[in-house]
Structures are given as structure tokens and as C-alpha cells.
Amino acid sequence: MRISNDYYLIVDLEATCSNIGAVPRHEMEIIEIGAVMQSSLTYEIESEFQAFVRPVRHPILTEFCTELTGITQQDVADAPPLAESLELMKEWTSVFKDWLFCSWGDYDRNQFRQDCEYHSLDYPFSAGHLNLKAEFSRAFGLKKKMAVTDALRHLGLSFEGSHHRGLDDAKNIARIVRRACMGT
Ligand code: AMP
Ligand code: MG
């Protein structure tokens, strides 16, 4: 899981969803961007980012989505559109020079791609992407890929904060990286 870049840019997205098929995968939209900039030298989190996004394809959150994430209709109704939140994220990342976009699985990268395509926006990352979920399995010789909560448990840790919230998920992924690479 070690990288040659100065920072792991760990991003975790929350999106519109349904448990009864009302929001198909290809119509899901970002509602929250959570991210941390984690030093690959000290494994300290040097900066955090959080932004809500107003969805347009399914603008009313399902009860399931609000229960899963804790994100309310008011949170997204008051939020800027994707273009604006992406600009804020890019401004934040631009303060740090040498980072690698990382996420737990490929979902977050694919969701960025899907939403940017739908809104005719440029994909916000120029560099590559590191799938930390796959890296974790490889590093620990696991046959199966693990959810964040299972990976934490595997390392003797438990989830801190609110699961399925972008920033808290990103912070917990950073704890996995730190423990896996530094042992602390
Ligand atoms: P996560 O980063 O695990 O919180 O998941 C990101 C997004 O995936 C969530 O905001 C939901 O849109 C979707 N998602 C996660 N878990 C579920 C689930 N059990 N059922 C439906 N959608 C889900
Ligand atoms: Mg999440």
C-alpha cells in the first residue's frame, strides 16, 4: 500500500441510492464528497475536505439513503451543484503538489466519471488512481476483498465516527493505511 507520491488523497463519495431499485446504478449521483490528504511519510492527515452536492436526476433522497448515510434532504437541497463542489475540491487539492487519488474500491472513481460525463464536466483528476481495497487484499494475502469495517477489524480497529459519511469514511480508510504501513 506504500506509494512514491508525497500524499494519499483519499476520497469517499456518498450518492443517491435506493434499496428497491428506484435509483439504478447508472442514475446514482454524488451527494457528498469527503476527502483527506494523508502524508505518505508520517501517515498524519494534514488536511480534510467535505462538500455536499445537490443531485438533479433523483433530487429527493429516498428514506433508505437518508437512513444509510444520515444525509438529510435539507443538506442536499442547500448544497451547490456538482460543478461548484468539484471546483472547491480542486482548489483544496491544488495546495498539495504530489498526491495520488486513492479510494476503497473502484466505485468512487467510477462515480466521478459517471457524474462528470452526465454534466459534461472534466474528470477532476489528472493522475492515476489507487484502489486501496485491492491493495489491502494483496498486502495481507487475502482471497476476498474486504469492506472498510472488515478491514479495520482485521487490523484490530473499529470504525470511528459515522459510517457512510464521506469524510468519516475517508478518515477511517486513512487509519487502515496508517496501521497497514506503519503498524500504529
Ligand atoms: P459508502 O462509501 O460505503 O458509504 O457507499 C457509497 C454509496 O454507495 C452510498 O452513499 C450509497 O449510495 C451506496 N451504497 C452503499 N451501501 C449501500 C447499500 N447497502 N445499498 C444501496 N446503496 C448503497
Ligand atoms: Mg462512504
Side-chain angles (χ1 to χ4, degrees), residues 120-153:
S120 304
L121 298 169
D122 288 335
Y123 177 73
F125 305 107
S126 51
H129 172 259
L130 184 67
N131 178 340
L132 290 169
K133 192 194 233 178
E135 285 294 309
F136 185 86
S137 290
R138 195 169 16 216
F140 289 92
L142 306 169
K143 286 198 190 82
K144 278 195 181 170
K145 301 233 169 65
M146 281 187 176
V148 170
T149 45
D150 295 329
L152 285 165
R153 204 171 305 126

Side-chain angles (χ1 to χ4, degrees), residues 12-18 28 64 68-69 107 163-164 169:
D12 188 272
L13 300 176
E14 302 307 325
T16 51
C17 58
S18 158
M28 284 168 68
F64 172 78
L68 179 77
T69 62
Y107 162 74
H163 191 23
H164 301 300
D169 284 358

